[in-house]
Amino acid sequence: MEIKVVKDKIAGGQAAFELIKAGMAHGAKVLGLATGSTPVTLYDAMCNSDLDFSQMVSMNLDEYVGLQPDNDQSYHYFMKEHLFYKKPFKASYVPDGANPDIDAAAADYEKLLAEHPIDIQILGIGRNGHIGFNEPGSDLDGKTQKVALTQSTIDANARFFANEQDVPRFAISMGIGSIMKGKQIILIAYGEDKADAIKATVEGPVTNHVPASALQNHENVILILDEAAASKLSK
């Protein structure tokens, strides 16, 4: 793993953007994208750039189960608001959490991933070490599937909803095995509350108790961290 320590979220977003820009210059065509507060400064940098994404394909990590794409808390909506309205892609895919048959939706998404292998995958990380919505205990070789969210994840996401009861309890997420197929992975983390997860990801054993630790087995991973997120690393 390569580790880049940056001053703040703005610098982190710019650093991730420069990696995407370099990747596109070398032929990258498919970006794996994440949601949540962490990648917002990256998407701001993309929107404020002169890069053309109209020949690119995007594949999103996950979506809540039960939310329609036009729901303002859905990840479909998030991506449009933060990126796609300003920088349209040739095609943009988000798992279909509104499909009553989630297993079929997951299988369909795996087919899309096979058709559009990810060149650069953007990740955040949960305080419990989850990537995508792959919570502790997830299969390290897992494919896209329906997942139950832990209470800590529900609590972390409650700030985006009117009240905690409104937070969906399930999501459809790319599995860890699916994520690991990305040619390059960029994990971004900010803040002291991510420091324990980052330490376990980088320096702990590879275990499904810390899903992000699977990244130790990937040949091309870059971590972009602010000083607080990197504060517990011994290296």
Side-chain angles (χ1 to χ4, degrees), residues 3 5-6 125 187-199 202 223-233:
I3 297 173
V5 179
V6 296
I125 186 171
L187 186 150
I188 309 170
Y190 308 121
E192 187 177 1
D193 63 341
K194 301 293 178 73
D196 286 329
I198 290 298
K199 182 175 178 60
V202 177
L223 275 63
I224 297 175
L225 313 171
D226 67 0
E227 292 182 359
S231 62
K232 296 190 177 180
L233 292 176

Side-chain angles (χ1 to χ4, degrees), residues 161-179:
F161 292 81
N163 56 69
E164 190 266 355
Q165 289 75 24
D166 293 336
V167 184
R169 267 45 185 176
F170 295 92
I172 179 172
S173 178
M174 285 170 54
I176 297 172
S178 307
I179 291 169

Side-chain angles (χ1 to χ4, degrees), residues 8-226:
D8 54 26
K9 294 180 180 181
I10 302 299
Q14 187 63 35
F17 168 74
E18 294 297 337
L19 290 170
I20 288 175
K21 182 178 179 180
M24 290 172 63
H26 287 87
K29 294 294 185 184
V30 183
L31 301 182
L33 301 180
T35 52
S37 58
T38 298
V40 167
T41 57
L42 164 60
Y43 298 150
D44 288 344
M46 292 169 70
C47 289
N48 293 329
S49 76
D50 59 3
L51 279 188
D52 178 11
F53 296 94
S54 64
Q55 298 305 308
M56 301 288 290
V57 172
S58 69
M59 305 293 302
N60 258 75
L61 279 168
D62 43 32
E63 177 59 286
Y64 288 119
V65 167
L67 296 191
Q68 297 294 326
D70 60 354
N71 185 299
D72 63 5
Q73 294 302 326
S74 77
Y75 290 163
H76 281 80
Y77 188 94
F78 177 99
M79 292 306 305
K80 289 179 180 177
E81 289 293 312
H82 287 281
L83 184 61
F84 297 148
Y85 281 144
K86 295 181 180 178
K87 289 288 188 179
F89 282 57
K90 179 180 179 181
S92 296
Y93 299 102
V94 181
D96 185 5
N99 190 330
D101 189 341
I102 289 297
D103 289 340
D108 288 344
Y109 206 68
E110 276 296 312
K111 292 177 184 175
L112 285 170
L113 289 168
E115 293 168 6
H116 306 288
I118 292 172
D119 294 303
I120 303 172
Q121 175 68 59
I122 302 298
L123 296 177
I125 186 171
R127 284 175 285 187
N128 61 6
H130 75 240
I131 49 176
F133 271 129
N134 297 287
E135 301 281 21
S138 296
D139 184 352
L140 296 186
D141 296 319
K143 297 181 179 181
T144 303
Q145 61 189 311
K146 179 182 178 180
V147 294
L149 306 185
T150 64
Q151 190 60 48
S152 66
T153 297
I154 292 167
D155 293 343
N157 291 344
R159 68 188 187 278
F160 301 115
F161 292 81
N163 56 69
E164 190 266 355
Q165 289 75 24
D166 293 336
V167 184
R169 267 45 185 176
F170 295 92
I172 179 172
S173 178
M174 285 170 54
I176 297 172
S178 307
I179 291 169
M180 292 288 284
K181 291 179 181 178
K183 296 182 182 74
Q184 181 182 55
I185 295 176
I186 302 169
L187 186 150
I188 309 170
Y190 308 121
E192 187 177 1
D193 63 341
K194 301 293 178 73
D196 286 329
I198 290 298
K199 182 175 178 60
T201 295
V202 177
E203 298 178 355
V206 175
T207 170
N208 65 357
H209 297 298
V210 181
S213 66
L215 299 177
Q216 292 180 34
N217 293 329
H218 194 283
E219 62 183 14
N220 189 356
V221 177
I222 299 174
L223 275 63
I224 297 175
L225 313 171
D226 67 0

